[in-house]
Amino acid sequence: MTAALPKKNYQPAARGPLTGVRVLDLSRLVAGNMLTQVLGDFGAEVIKVEPPAGDTLRAWQTRGIQTNWKIYARNKKSLGLELRKPEARELLAKLVPSAAMWVESFRPGTLEKMGFGPEALLEINPKLVIVRISGWGQDGPYQRRPGFGTLVEGMSGFASFNGFADREPVLPPMYLADTVAGLYGTAAVMVALREVEKNGGRGQVIDLPLLDPMFAVLGPQAANYRLTGKVKPRTGSRSTNAGPRNAYRCKDGLYVCLSSSTQKMAERLFHSIGRPELIADPRYSTNAERVKHAEALDEIIGEFIARRSQAENVAFFEKAEVTIGPIYDIRQILEDPHVLARELIADYPDPDMGAFPMHHVVPRLSGTPGSIRTPAPRLGEHNRALLGEIGVDNAAYAKLFAAGAVCEGVSLNQEEEA
């Protein structure tokens, strides 16, 4: 990183609009952690219930640093419980009355075997909002299949039209299905919480498979197929709805993205590259024709862009009021003046890296903004405080620890000696 990121400190005393909302999060991997990270950013008390090995995200490391965990577990507390032990399940049951939400991502049926099926939970706390995350849903022929996001990104139809026509389908290089489901889940829990708090309703179960949200964000694919009888082809960075739209290589080997999806913008583009006659050319005079002749049009635009660097292209087309932007890698993002001015990312104190770069709370609210109050917790860091609420004193805690019902990142003796 060549540019200095803004320096931020944690705000442990900050309050948000969800202050007072307790969330028991038994999920693993990204979808549930994404959902509860947003809730935590806006003040919810998110309690990660972790097994002795910790949440799976702890194992996703870069050079030995738990970078995924540090992002998705900020603003959370850790309660280490071995739920295969009856004593641990009893402790968890005692925390259910104080919770507003319960989030889990076990394979369907697992929660019931543990004695925490929805009926049992709602009997303990009738106002509890229960989120059940899975790959394929709580019912249906595929409910017992492994629910990894990669499989959903393939089956949802996303991969089939992502990439180039002469190459294999392309899976996303990040946790797309999980993060989409997590964001849908955030909206769902707030709807359910409003029903409880404002309309006097009861708690309910939210069936949140990764498949449904991933399919939903793909838009009118089914309708388009019914109308045309054709499966949407892979078109790379081109659009089948508007043109021109593509990624273009610049003189310096970097790329820009350009989209002229309105008639006026396309005409402005033609004027700016010194080709106003294209406006009257029947191949490019309308959006529909530009889409049909996208390859030939891209050659014209690409040749113009290839003579200039990325920065020169952006400056040139911005002056002409043509919609263009740079295609950044992470190095460029961290050096961009707009990113720095908006504090999209900032450095926070970190014991492993000295300073850990984290993104801003999203979205930004003017009246009740979110905040980053605490870093991601150590495994079992909040055991004693949380279990103390339900009457577990130091002596009882020592017995639970010895029995393996509770767990910590370090042994009990090591902690006491430190």
Side-chain angles (χ1 to χ4, degrees), residues 218-242:
L218 300 184
Q221 298 305 313
N224 294 345
Y225 174 70
R226 180 172 293 177
L227 288 168
T228 65
K230 296 180 180 179
V231 174
K232 181 179 174 67
R234 290 190 290 281
T235 58
S237 296
R238 290 182 185 140
S239 170
T240 55
N241 297 314

Side-chain angles (χ1 to χ4, degrees), residues 246-262:
N246 213 333
Y248 302 92
R249 184 181 174 91
C250 304
K251 181 180 178 180
D252 53 6
L254 302 176
Y255 289 82
V256 291
C257 49
L258 183 148
S259 176
S260 296
S261 53
T262 66

Side-chain angles (χ1 to χ4, degrees), residues 257-328:
C257 49
L258 183 148
S259 176
S260 296
S261 53
T262 66
Q263 184 65 24
K264 285 187 176 180
M265 187 58 67
E267 292 175 4
R268 191 178 298 162
L269 168 64
F270 295 156
H271 277 290
S272 70
I273 63 174
R275 298 295 301 272
E277 75 278 6
L278 297 179
I279 298 171
D281 190 319
R283 295 173 299 172
Y284 313 124
S285 60
T286 67
N287 180 67
E289 290 302 316
R290 289 193 294 274
V291 171
K292 287 181 185 178
H293 299 92
E295 185 171 354
L297 184 55
D298 278 340
E299 289 184 10
I300 297 171
I301 299 169
E303 190 276 334
F304 183 91
I305 288 175
R307 299 198 301 265
R308 296 161 177 79
S309 69
Q310 184 188 69
E312 290 169 341
N313 275 302
V314 171
F316 175 86
F317 285 108
E318 282 189 347
K319 186 176 181 180
E321 297 184 339
V322 171
T323 45
I324 193 173
I327 294 180
Y328 277 167

Side-chain angles (χ1 to χ4, degrees), residues 190-204:
M190 297 312 299
V191 171
L193 187 63
R194 179 178 174 81
E195 172 65 15
V196 170
E197 295 184 345
K198 298 296 184 182
N199 299 331
R202 289 176 55 84
Q204 58 185 298

Side-chain angles (χ1 to χ4, degrees), residues 29-258:
L29 297 173
V30 178
N33 276 307
M34 179 78 194
L35 190 165
T36 56
Q37 181 219 291
V38 176
L39 299 178
D41 283 355
F42 286 96
E45 180 192 20
V46 178
I47 301 171
K48 285 294 304 183
V49 181
E50 299 189 74
D55 189 292
T56 311
L57 284 186
R58 291 183 181 273
W60 291 8
Q61 300 182 11
T62 300
R63 294 191 173 182
I65 305 297
Q66 299 175 349
T67 53
N68 281 279
W69 178 250
K70 288 177 185 290
I71 289 290
Y72 291 109
R74 70 190 192 188
N75 289 330
K76 298 181 182 180
K77 298 178 178 180
S78 175
L79 175 62
L81 294 178
E82 175 52 275
L83 293 177
R84 289 177 292 186
K85 301 277 187 178
E87 305 97 313
R89 295 195 295 273
E90 289 175 9
L91 294 172
L92 183 57
K94 291 180 181 179
L95 288 172
V96 172
S98 65
M101 301 177 191
W102 168 292
V103 181
E104 61 98 2
S105 61
F106 297 109
R107 188 173 295 193
T110 302
L111 205 62
E112 284 79 358
K113 292 178 182 178
M114 294 167 57
F116 290 115
E119 295 79 8
L121 290 172
L122 289 170
E123 184 174 347
I124 299 172
N125 182 351
K127 294 186 178 297
L128 189 67
V129 174
I130 303 168
V131 186
R132 310 199 71 178
I133 301 170
S134 63
W136 315 101
Q138 297 299 313
D139 53 19
Y142 300 158
Q143 62 173 299
R144 298 290 298 170
R145 285 187 177 183
F148 292 161
T150 296
L151 308 186
V152 170
E153 288 150 4
M155 184 175 160
S156 65
F158 171 82
S160 72
F161 63 76
N162 189 46
F164 292 88
D166 60 344
R167 295 288 303 277
E168 72 279 359
V170 178
L171 293 162
M174 41 77 74
Y175 330 117
L176 186 60
D178 280 81
T179 52
V180 169
L183 294 174
Y184 263 87
T186 303
V189 296
M190 297 312 299
V191 171
L193 187 63
R194 179 178 174 81
E195 172 65 15
V196 170
E197 295 184 345
K198 298 296 184 182
N199 299 331
R202 289 176 55 84
Q204 58 185 298
V205 178
I206 297 171
D207 184 358
L208 183 64
L210 304 189
L211 178 62
D212 297 22
M214 192 65 205
F215 181 72
V217 300
L218 300 184
Q221 298 305 313
N224 294 345
Y225 174 70
R226 180 172 293 177
L227 288 168
T228 65
K230 296 180 180 179
V231 174
K232 181 179 174 67
R234 290 190 290 281
T235 58
S237 296
R238 290 182 185 140
S239 170
T240 55
N241 297 314
R245 190 261 200 180
N246 213 333
Y248 302 92
R249 184 181 174 91
C250 304
K251 181 180 178 180
D252 53 6
L254 302 176
Y255 289 82
V256 291
C257 49
L258 183 148

